[in-house]
Amino acid sequence: MHHGISQISEPSTRVSQTRSENYRIECRFVRYSSWNDDIVAYSGGCKVDFPVISDERRELAIELGILDPEERDATGLPLAARAVYIIGPDRRMKLSLIYPATTGKNFDEILRVIDSLQLTAKFNKLATPVDWRSGDKC
């Protein structure tokens, strides 16, 4: 099993095939080089090749409403929830998923949604049904 970050940064994964851009917001002070070294070690060699936005003051997390009110760090500060936003080429929000800080993301579902959004953008009056997967009929 891959670490979530390595799933979206590893070039051989399905995410790279979506031609999407990925960004990460990090609320803790993290030296990027040591953080990336940890990802490389954990994932078996995968490097993070997308921007990491530092938000130590949690200003962006507050603006996005992604601080988990129930989960706190050792100093008592709320942890940032694990949020996923998909913004289309038209710069409009297409999807917003917010997971509790203690729950990992489901990258299969994120990929399924990206596939659906890309397909339905290509064919205007198309909708994908429940549990649809790329290659299924619509």
Side-chain angles (χ1 to χ4, degrees), residues 72-102:
R72 300 190 177 270
D73 68 12
T75 65
L77 290 173
L79 296 174
R82 299 173 185 219
V84 174
Y85 300 101
I86 297 177
I87 301 168
D90 60 359
R91 297 185 178 190
R92 292 180 184 222
M93 178 86 65
K94 304 297 182 187
L95 173 80
S96 172
L97 289 172
I98 300 178
Y99 297 83
T102 55

Side-chain angles (χ1 to χ4, degrees), residues 1 5 7 11-13 20-23 31 50 61 64-65 68 70-71 75-77 85 87 89 96 127 129:
M1 179 179 292
I5 294 168
Q7 281 187 314
S12 63
T13 64
S20 61
E21 295 179 26
N22 303 293
Y23 300 87
R31 281 190 19 245
F50 56 87
L64 293 171
D68 190 323
E70 299 191 19
E71 301 297 332
T75 65
L77 290 173
Y85 300 101
I87 301 168
S96 172

